[in-house]
Amino acid sequence: MSREAARARAGLATDPSAEHAAEARPAWHRGFAWRQLGELFGNTLQGRFTLVMVAGVLLAQLATNLLWAQQLRSRAQAEAEQAAHHVAIGAAGAIRSFRDLPVNFRPLLIEQLRTMGGTRFFVFVNREPVKVEPVQGEALAQLVAQTVAQTLKQQAPVDGSLKVALAWPHSLHVSPDGVELQDLPEGWIDTTLLSPARPAPIVVIQAEIESGSWLYLASAMPDPYFLENANPYAVDRLLPQVITLGAVLLLSVAVVRTLTRPLARLGRAATAFGNGISADPLPVAGTREVQRTIRAFNDMQERIQRYLMDRERLFATISHDLRTPITRLKLRTELLDDDSLQAEFHEDLDDLDMMVKGALQSVKDTDIHENQVEVRLDHMLERLVRDARMAGREVSLQAPALSVRVKPLALKRALTNLLDNALQYGERADIRVDSEAERVVLTIRDHGPGVPEAALDKLGQPYVRLEHGRRTRREGMGLGLGIARNVVHAHGGQLRLANHPEGGLMATVLLPLG
């Protein structure tokens, strides 16, 4: 059936463009990330614990950083406004002093300030305003400039224009002629501005105190590096947090692995024991709850092993004890004069003998103490098919070269029972083997009448035989399918029985590759 037909049959609309786009993507790319994430975090206790720990720590760190960043910005804004107001008060006093000073004395005062200090401002007088490139992308710098301007308008109003900006010192002009701050003698600026080794933004105030006379004031902020201090995501602040976060996550993962390692060991031991591999008791380790679980598993494993050994001894004893009275009864029936009564006694004793042998064979064939080894499944099936063909039966086989780790004798008994049933109740048998991602699919199909759907669930139960089977094979006990199912389950697989759409019964054996 084509893809479009299958989608139409399911009642789904087909989208050719989406179909083509899905086919255009490589198969390994589709779903790879989700598969990897599922394997890492979704399917194991360690992964889920790790995911919860990592997500919890990350969310807590993120919430803390957001809260701390908001508080830091609020505090930096308040401190910047206060510092800007303080700078503006000093600048207002300088502006009033120069405005009230006679024009002839202004150069002398500027020279004195440059050589002797005494003010926090670098002072210059220009004929026109100087073009200043303000700091871009910093809301706090704009807030400082606005605060200084508003305070100056209140404390030292001037008749002309007023320009305030924050600028970086490396390209700061001090006169309309293009003279930059870095071109001036160091003695002029070292008492008022910071060293160029670590530049900080400078408040530049230009006030038109008279027509054609612009007072140029430049000063660093009281906290020169307020922009850096207001940045919550600076490298020197993020690095300790990243180191702390990484250490916490590593310790969390290590603790989770330590806690889940005994559980993983317990899971592997339970899987191995379920597949019939006996092992020594697990070492008791981990938390108190895990230790109780491991002790319970060790006790359960010991009891089951003891039960299996007791069962074997019990059936061996039954076999030994029943054969003698059955043989004695058969000898006594020979003394009977009535031939018809003698034949009935012989028939009942034969049935009793067959039931004992069948029960013993059932225990023997489902023995779980055989060691698992690497076996070529195709070679095993070829030998079974060769034996069936030598007996005159028609069998077809399609099996690639494939190796599985199984109990060879037990699996051979199970497959022999399935093949014998297919050849006994069907005209011929077809065997097919396919390999999937993590398992082997082995199908044995006969060409007989099949089984009523209502009776499929009863197949495999001990001593259950259908009418067709009793007519075809009188000596059967109804144990073959049950033995095969137990053997397949002991290998961690499944046995599914279903009627084939073209007729006959189909037995599907699913075996894990590992």
Side-chain angles (χ1 to χ4, degrees), residues 406-481:
V406 295
K407 305 170 187 176
L409 295 180
L411 183 62
K412 184 178 180 181
R413 294 189 191 108
L415 296 180
T416 300
N417 289 344
L418 294 176
L419 183 58
D420 287 345
N421 284 345
L423 294 175
Q424 182 67 32
Y425 304 122
E427 300 175 1
R428 65 182 188 276
D430 299 329
I431 303 177
R432 178 184 177 87
V433 178
D434 296 302
S435 175
E436 295 182 354
E438 298 180 355
R439 64 182 182 179
V440 176
V441 181
L442 189 153
T443 305
I444 300 177
R445 178 208 169 187
D446 64 49
H447 292 265
V451 175
E453 294 292 335
L456 283 175
D457 295 336
K458 299 179 181 179
L459 290 181
Q461 299 179 7
Y463 306 108
V464 172
R465 303 188 67 205
L466 302 182
E467 183 63 27
H468 174 71
R470 288 194 293 268
R471 290 197 311 265
T472 307
R473 190 179 182 185
R474 182 179 179 277
E475 67 274 11
M477 296 292 296
L479 296 173
L481 282 178

Side-chain angles (χ1 to χ4, degrees), residues 52-270:
V52 171
M53 294 290 291
V54 171
V57 173
L58 287 178
L59 289 177
Q61 191 75 17
L62 179 61
T64 303
N65 280 341
L66 290 177
L67 181 61
W68 175 70
Q70 182 63 29
Q71 293 178 348
L72 182 64
R73 290 193 182 98
S74 300
R75 185 177 62 186
Q77 180 177 346
E79 292 178 351
E81 288 181 344
Q82 183 178 2
H85 181 73
H86 178 71
V87 171
I89 293 296
I95 292 175
R96 287 195 298 268
S97 299
F98 271 86
R99 186 178 53 190
D100 298 338
L101 192 67
V103 177
N104 296 334
F105 289 93
R106 291 175 184 174
L108 296 176
L109 179 59
I110 292 176
E111 183 67 22
Q112 181 181 4
L113 292 176
R114 290 174 180 174
T115 56
M116 301 181 60
T119 180
R120 63 176 302 160
F121 294 98
F122 169 76
V123 184
F124 224 86
V125 177
N126 299 309
R127 296 184 303 275
E128 59 185 39
V130 178
K131 184 178 181 182
V132 177
E133 296 182 4
V135 175
Q136 301 293 334
E138 295 287 349
L140 201 57
Q142 298 177 4
L143 175 65
V144 168
Q146 293 174 1
T147 303
V148 171
Q150 292 175 359
T151 304
L152 286 176
K153 290 179 181 179
Q154 296 174 359
Q155 298 293 330
V158 294
D159 297 335
S161 301
L162 178 66
K163 298 179 180 296
V164 180
L166 259 76
W168 294 108
H170 59 272
S171 60
L172 180 61
H173 292 82
V174 297
S175 71
D177 302 334
V179 178
E180 296 184 355
L181 184 65
Q182 59 187 359
D183 299 331
L184 298 178
E186 293 184 3
W188 287 18
I189 59 176
D190 58 359
T191 59
T192 55
L193 302 181
L194 296 177
S195 170
R198 187 183 177 190
I202 296 175
V203 180
V204 179
I205 303 171
Q206 298 185 79
E208 189 179 10
I209 56 178
E210 294 175 357
S211 178
S213 179
W214 285 78
L215 182 62
Y216 182 100
L217 302 177
S219 172
M221 292 285 290
D223 181 6
Y225 306 105
F226 70 98
L227 292 180
E228 297 179 6
N229 297 335
N231 182 16
Y233 305 113
V235 176
D236 57 343
R237 291 180 175 176
L238 287 181
L239 186 58
Q241 296 185 21
V242 171
I243 294 176
T244 304
L245 180 62
V248 171
L249 293 182
L250 288 178
L251 289 176
S252 301
V253 172
V255 170
V256 169
R257 291 192 62 182
T258 303
L259 293 176
T260 57
R261 188 180 294 115
L263 291 177
R265 191 186 303 117
L266 176 62
R268 290 192 297 268

Side-chain angles (χ1 to χ4, degrees), residues 303-370:
R303 287 195 299 269
I304 292 176
Q305 290 174 344
R306 188 168 57 247
Y307 162 76
L308 293 175
M309 290 187 293
D310 293 342
R311 187 190 67 165
E312 292 177 2
R313 286 195 295 266
L314 174 63
F315 274 87
T317 303
I318 292 175
S319 174
H320 179 270
D321 293 344
L322 287 181
R323 290 191 182 198
T324 299
I326 290 174
T327 304
R328 190 183 303 121
L329 288 173
K330 285 185 177 181
L331 292 175
R332 289 180 179 178
T333 56
E334 298 294 336
L335 302 178
L336 295 175
D337 296 333
D338 191 342
D339 293 338
S340 61
L341 183 61
Q342 183 181 12
E344 291 178 359
F345 269 104
H346 272 295
E347 183 177 355
D348 291 340
L349 291 174
D350 289 340
D351 290 341
L352 180 59
D353 190 25
M354 184 176 295
M355 290 179 62
V356 173
K357 291 180 180 178
L360 293 174
Q361 186 68 21
S362 175
V363 175
K364 179 181 178 182
D365 287 350
T366 56
D367 185 14
I368 67 173
H369 295 295
E370 185 183 0

